[in-house]
Amino acid sequence: MSGGRRRRALGARWRRHRPLRTRLAVAASAAVALVAIGVCTAAYFVIRYEMYHQLDLNLTQSATRILQADRNPETAVLAGECRYLSAPACAQVVPADPAKDSAARYVLPVSPPVREVASGDRAPYFSNFTLEGHPARMAVTPIGGGRALQLALRADSVERGIRQAALLLSAVGGAGVLLAAGLGYWVSRTGLAPVARLTATAERIAATRDPRHRIELPPGPPGREDEVTRLAASFNTMLGELEQSVSAQRRLVADASHELRTPLTALRTNAELLARADRLSPEQRDRASGALGRQLREVTGLVNDLIELARDEEPQPLLEEVRIASLLSHAVATAETHWPATPFPLSITPEAHAVTLPGIPARLTRLLTNLLDNAAKFSPPGAPVEVELTSRGQELDVTVRDHGPGISAEDLPYVFDRFYRAEAARALPGSGLGLAMARQIARAHGAELTAEQAPGGGALFRLRFGDRTNERSSGKASFG
């Protein structure tokens, strides 16, 4: 493995084994530290440039004064003493031809580039050198006639200022790195505080199995939350849905336990009675056996209904194009055999015969059967249960109206609740799950099931299927 891959692997391993807060703090600190170091480094080079630039300006001014005083200086040393950042500077005139050098010794070093400037082969330049053990700055410029003017100033103060600036900027950079570390830690704590609260809440719920806990959201105007706050709000919404689901499951278990207690007790009683069949007359045995069979069917139906309702969603088999008129006719025919004393007049408008909807025939049949059975159960003997199917374009309305006692205003909001039974229905057969299951099937098919008082008495149930054209084209319905 190459060095680059090894470093990337180590970096990835480090990220996996460090919490998000630590990684965020390190990232923020590194970003601020790099900015601080970059600014200090840039400031160092700017200060160094400006100080040397000031020294170069002094050298240029000295050259101007020398040439103004003598436009044709001799080849010789003009000034042999170098000062700090002030005139006079060390100055000498150097010819391009070494044979024309002055007999006097030069005070500044004469190198080949100096001769090249004198001959015009090189542009004027500035350079650093050491003069008698001290740092110095030199300027070389042509003055015509194959000669060059050399000037120099000692740069002790410049070098000392540059060193002091470097030390000061290093201290500032170090302080910036420490400040970056503190800021990174603060950013990680404040920025991830909602995430920490979310994690703590999730762990508390996992430990206590109590979804009533919520994450405290920071105050602020709605619509201006940051991403983490929106995440916490979404988590609170999810907890609310979870709490409702858990409460609904607990109510279902409690209601099922209550509803199963009575038929199970009756079953046990009849079973114990049949166990002593030798003491019973044939009529008593037949009566107990018939009661036991009816109770077994009731318990079986109740358990099946509970299994379907406990899922709280409809299965998702392949959908079919269902003709509601045909299903309704079949459901009415079946109800007439179950309730021979109740007539079921059926009215279907001509345009409703041709309308089809995507759905599950067995589930829709169960929905219609539950509505018809509920209406027949509350209808007096001989009173009709009026069934009507109408169509408006792709919308279908199924109405089932009985002539029973109707639904009181107090009971109307709870008609579709599981195990809910009005006072007038306590003595009637049934589990109290038929209308709840009908509403669940209707919602799964995108339909709306409502109940109301019928004009003139009785109850009116209305099942409305909306426009499903788009869903038919996609082959999907709102199941689950």
Side-chain angles (χ1 to χ4, degrees), residues 210-234:
D210 185 1
R212 292 176 297 176
H213 298 286
R214 296 292 185 273
I215 302 173
E216 183 181 356
L217 300 178
R224 297 185 179 179
E225 303 89 352
D226 56 19
E227 290 78 2
V228 179
T229 303
R230 289 202 298 271
L231 174 63
S234 300

Side-chain angles (χ1 to χ4, degrees), residues 75-218:
T75 301
V77 176
L78 305 180
E81 183 181 2
C82 296
R83 302 285 184 90
Y84 297 104
L85 297 176
S86 62
C90 294
Q92 63 186 26
V93 176
V94 179
D97 186 1
K100 299 180 180 179
D101 284 343
S102 172
R105 176 177 168 271
Y106 291 119
V107 296
L108 300 177
V110 179
S111 59
V114 176
R115 306 284 187 182
E116 293 174 0
V117 172
S119 62
D121 296 334
R122 183 186 179 101
Y125 68 91
F126 297 92
S127 64
N128 296 324
F129 72 107
T130 301
L131 179 64
E132 298 178 357
H134 301 282
R137 182 75 166 172
M138 181 175 65
V140 182
T141 181
I143 59 175
R147 295 173 300 169
L149 176 63
Q150 282 183 274
L151 301 100
L153 287 172
R154 286 177 55 177
D156 305 60
S157 57
V158 173
E159 293 290 338
R160 185 165 53 252
I162 292 175
R163 286 195 301 270
Q164 291 174 351
L167 292 175
L168 180 61
L169 291 174
S170 298
V172 172
V177 171
L178 295 177
L179 179 62
L183 289 175
Y185 177 75
W186 177 79
V187 167
S188 66
R189 284 188 62 86
T190 56
L192 295 179
V195 177
R197 291 195 296 269
L198 188 150
T199 304
T201 302
E203 292 174 348
R204 191 182 308 116
I205 293 173
T208 62
R209 296 179 179 272
D210 185 1
R212 292 176 297 176
H213 298 286
R214 296 292 185 273
I215 302 173
E216 183 181 356
L217 300 178

Side-chain angles (χ1 to χ4, degrees), residues 263-445:
L264 288 177
T265 301
L267 278 173
R268 184 176 62 183
T269 301
N270 288 319
E272 292 175 352
L273 186 61
L274 287 175
R276 298 191 296 270
D278 54 337
R279 304 179 187 178
L280 302 177
S281 64
E283 293 80 7
Q284 290 174 328
R285 286 197 300 270
D286 292 341
R287 196 160 51 247
S289 177
L292 184 63
R294 288 194 304 273
Q295 290 158 359
L296 280 174
R297 287 192 296 272
E298 290 180 6
V299 171
T300 301
L302 177 60
V303 171
N304 290 335
D305 291 344
L306 284 173
I307 291 174
E308 293 187 10
L309 286 172
R311 289 197 302 260
D312 199 28
E313 61 180 15
E314 286 293 302
Q316 301 184 25
L318 293 176
L319 303 181
E320 302 178 20
E321 288 294 329
V322 180
R323 198 178 300 276
I324 300 298
S326 300
L327 289 184
L328 186 59
S329 300
H330 174 73
V332 168
T334 304
E336 289 174 341
T337 61
H338 289 168
W339 306 89
T342 302
F344 290 85
L346 174 61
S347 173
I348 302 178
T349 59
E351 59 271 13
H353 281 281
V355 178
T356 61
L357 298 174
I360 307 170
R363 303 302 294 163
L364 290 173
T365 301
R366 180 68 178 272
L367 163 60
L368 298 172
T369 300
N370 285 1
L371 292 179
L372 296 174
D373 288 345
N374 180 78
K377 183 171 61 175
F378 287 96
S379 293
V385 173
E386 301 168 6
V387 185
E388 185 179 7
L389 175 62
T390 59
S391 172
R392 295 193 307 272
Q394 289 296 327
E395 294 186 0
L396 286 178
D397 278 355
V398 179
T399 56
V400 178
R401 186 255 173 94
D402 61 58
H403 291 270
I407 307 172
S408 66
E410 295 80 9
D411 296 327
L412 197 58
Y414 310 104
V415 167
F416 297 104
D417 289 354
R418 298 169 181 174
F419 298 107
Y420 182 80
R421 306 183 75 179
E423 291 291 337
R426 298 293 171 87
L428 296 177
S431 62
L433 296 176
L435 291 180
M437 186 176 301
R439 182 180 62 174
Q440 178 174 300
I441 299 173
R443 286 180 174 176
H445 285 77

